[in-house]
Amino acid sequence: MNHKELCSCLKLDSYDVEISFSSPKTDIIGFFQERNIPFDISADGKMALKSRILLLDITFLIFLEFDGEKIISVAMLPDRALEGKALYSRFSAIQKAIKKELGSPDNGLLESLMNCLVPDGRSSRWRREGVTVKHFLRDRFGMEEIIYIEPCE
C-alpha cells in the first residue's frame, strides 16, 4: 500500500483487493460477491467484514458506513482484544505502519504531551488528500484500538 492508496482506497490484504472510497455501496456489494469475500450488512446499512490491512499480520474487523451509496466512514478494529503491554506494543506496530503510509501525524503539542502522560488515551490524526485518518485507544467496555477514516470531498 502506498500513500495514494490509503488516501483514496482501502487495500484488503487478505483478499489482495482494493475498495475505492468513491465506489458506490451497490458496486462494493457486487465486487465482494463476485470475489466470494464474506461480509454482513447490519439493519442500519453498515457493512462489516474481516481482513488484514497495512501489510500487518493482524486481522481487523472493518466497518464501512454509508450515506445512501457514499462511504462516509471506515472503522477498523483489531479482532483480538489485548490489555497492558501487549496492547501498547500492537498500537505501536500499527502506528508505525500508518506513519509509513502517511508520515508523521498532525498532532499538536497538547495531543503529543497527552499521549505520553495518558497511555490509555493515545491518539494520532492525519489529514491528507481528502481524508482524515485517526488512530486511537479508548476505554469503552475494555480497551479498544481503532483506526477511523473519514473520506471528505
Side-chain angles (χ1 to χ4, degrees):
M1 187 178 327
N2 61 41
H3 178 87
K4 176 186 167 288
E5 290 171 344
L6 189 57
C7 291
S8 63
C9 66
L10 177 65
K11 183 165 191 261
L12 304 175
D13 296 335
S14 296
Y15 306 102
D16 196 29
V17 299
E18 296 175 355
I19 302 167
S20 172
F21 294 144
S22 63
S23 294
K25 182 178 183 177
T26 51
D27 288 358
I28 294 170
I29 290 170
F31 181 79
F32 286 168
Q33 290 171 335
E34 288 172 12
R35 287 161 181 77
N36 294 316
I37 297 172
F39 68 96
D40 291 308
I41 298 180
S42 65
D44 62 358
K46 291 181 184 171
M47 187 178 295
L49 65 142
K50 288 185 178 184
S51 181
R52 289 185 323 276
I53 59 169
L54 295 167
L55 302 175
L56 296 166
D57 192 23
I58 301 168
T59 300
F60 287 80
L61 301 171
I62 301 170
F63 301 93
L64 304 173
E65 185 175 6
F66 297 87
D67 180 10
E69 286 288 307
K70 182 180 175 187
I71 293 176
I72 58 170
S73 70
V74 179
M76 299 172 285
L77 298 80
D79 74 342
R80 199 169 132 230
L82 298 176
E83 296 288 334
K85 289 182 182 182
L87 173 68
Y88 302 141
S89 177
R90 181 179 67 196
F91 183 89
S92 295
I94 293 171
Q95 185 77 359
K96 183 178 178 180
I98 298 171
K99 282 182 179 180
K100 183 178 178 183
E101 301 303 320
L102 298 176
S104 295
D106 298 332
N107 291 0
L109 180 60
L110 182 60
E111 285 174 304
S112 298
L113 182 60
M114 290 303 293
N115 284 341
C116 293
L117 297 175
V118 185
D120 284 351
R122 295 178 192 182
S123 68
S124 294
R125 180 186 64 248
W126 294 262
R127 289 189 183 104
R128 305 283 189 275
E129 298 176 27
V131 300
T132 298
V133 178
K134 299 173 188 172
H135 179 219
F136 57 92
L137 293 174
R138 74 174 175 194
D139 189 357
R140 218 169 57 145
F141 306 109
M143 291 302 296
E144 290 181 314
E145 179 176 3
I146 301 169
I147 302 169
Y148 190 75
I149 301 174
E150 291 178 302
C152 331
E153 292 193 29

